[in-house]
Amino acid sequence: EAGVTQSPTHLIKTRGQQATLRCSPISGHTSVYWYQQALGLGLQFLLWYDEGEERNRGNFPPRFSGRQFPNYSSELNVNALELEDSALYLCASLSPPGYNQPQHFGDGTRLSIL
Amino acid sequence: AQSVSQHNHHVILSEAASLELGCNYSYGGTVNLFWYVQYPGQHLQLLLKYFSGDPLVKGIKGFEAEFIKSKFSFNLRKPSVQWSDTAEYFCAVSRIIQGAQKLVFGQGTRLTINP
């Protein structure tokens, strides 16, 4: 079974630009979670998509947004990039109905803001 | 607000030493508990999980964790660590919201094992 895949592996942007990160969940998984792993801050929950809808978001500004496609893959968009957005962005997927199941993580996209 | 606290940010041990990493959470309802491990350059992997039943949970690679409800704790243990256990360890707590899982992570503990 293929795991959660994320692309690109590394993304380099400058302040003010926009970044798009992609995630493909494990086949059969319908929930996708996005996390930010910044140095010294651990994993911070960003967004959760299930069945194509945004179900919840963490304490991040609106310039962090995303969507989930009919095939359950997901995009994370970050607008007006700031230096502090530099981090590893992790995607995780979960099989339905989500009870008592562990999340499966991708390798992440490292976003560097110059 | 629900939070997860890992008391140790960086732990350094020698091989064969015993390990205990602390994890406490603040949520009072029914929770599911996880420990994830992130080896250098690799993705997060599930180490073990607790949903119900025996509060002493055994995971992969000789790790175990004990859920103590009265202390809101889920500490990770290993009797004898190996150099290959060098990694970052994350405790996570989940609850069910609107029929699906919301996961909150602790800040992580970096474990360094000296050969």
Side-chain angles (χ1 to χ4, degrees):
Chain A
E1 161 183 275
V4 176
T5 56
Q6 291 187 246
S7 63
T9 305
H10 198 171
L11 191 57
I12 301 173
K13 294 283 185 178
T14 57
R15 286 180 61 189
Q17 285 189 313
Q18 184 256 353
T20 297
L21 289 63
R22 296 180 177 82
C23 171
S24 292
I26 290 172
S27 178
H29 287 195
T30 59
S31 280
V32 169
Y33 296 76
W34 286 96
Y35 297 89
Q36 183 194 66
Q37 187 177 14
L39 200 61
L41 295 178
L43 280 89
Q44 305 290 321
F45 166 70
L46 256 169
L47 289 160
W48 160 29
Y49 291 95
D50 183 59
E51 293 287 354
E53 293 192 17
E54 183 180 302
R55 300 291 186 183
N56 207 341
R57 64 180 294 127
N59 190 24
F60 282 84
R63 57 191 186 82
F64 286 84
S65 65
R67 53 182 172 166
Q68 187 179 33
F69 300 98
N71 66 354
Y72 303 113
S73 67
S74 176
E75 266 184 9
L76 173 68
N77 295 294
V78 189
N79 294 320
L81 286 165
E82 300 178 3
L83 292 175
E84 55 264 33
D85 297 334
S86 292
L88 181 67
Y89 289 83
L90 293 171
C91 171
S93 74
L94 190 63
S95 63
Y99 304 125
N100 299 346
Q101 298 289 332
Q103 294 184 10
H104 296 263
F105 286 82
D107 289 337
T109 292
R110 185 161 297 283
L111 177 62
S112 300
I113 312 304
L114 304 178
Chain B
Q2 182 181 2
S3 70
V4 180
S5 299
Q6 291 182 241
H7 317 298
N8 314 104
H9 296 296
H10 191 185
V11 173
I12 303 172
L13 295 172
S14 298
E15 276 193 308
S18 65
L19 169 73
E20 181 159 1
L21 301 182
C23 173
N24 285 89
Y25 61 94
S26 62
Y27 181 62
T30 302
V31 294
N32 294 333
L33 300 157
F34 305 84
W35 275 97
Y36 282 86
V37 60
Q38 189 174 31
Y39 297 104
Q42 296 187 29
H43 61 266
L44 275 167
Q45 301 172 41
L46 182 69
L47 207 51
L48 48 79
K49 60 183 186 282
Y50 171 80
F51 296 134
S52 63
D54 188 345
L56 186 61
V57 179
K58 294 193 184 300
I60 60 172
K61 304 186 180 184
F63 285 91
E64 63 178 33
E66 185 175 12
F67 170 53
I68 303 179
K69 190 173 181 180
S70 61
K71 295 184 178 180
F72 297 89
S73 71
F74 189 56
N75 292 353
L76 181 71
R77 300 195 292 247
K78 185 170 183 178
S80 176
V81 294
Q82 301 171 301
W83 177 79
S84 57
D85 293 325
T86 295
E88 189 146 15
Y89 292 80
F90 293 91
C91 179
V93 174
S94 80
R95 50 184 290 213
I96 304 302
I97 298 174
Q98 295 176 322
Q101 182 191 94
K102 182 175 181 182
L103 202 61
V104 177
F105 283 87
Q107 296 217 2
T109 297
R110 183 158 32 118
L111 176 64
T112 302
I113 306 299
N114 293 323

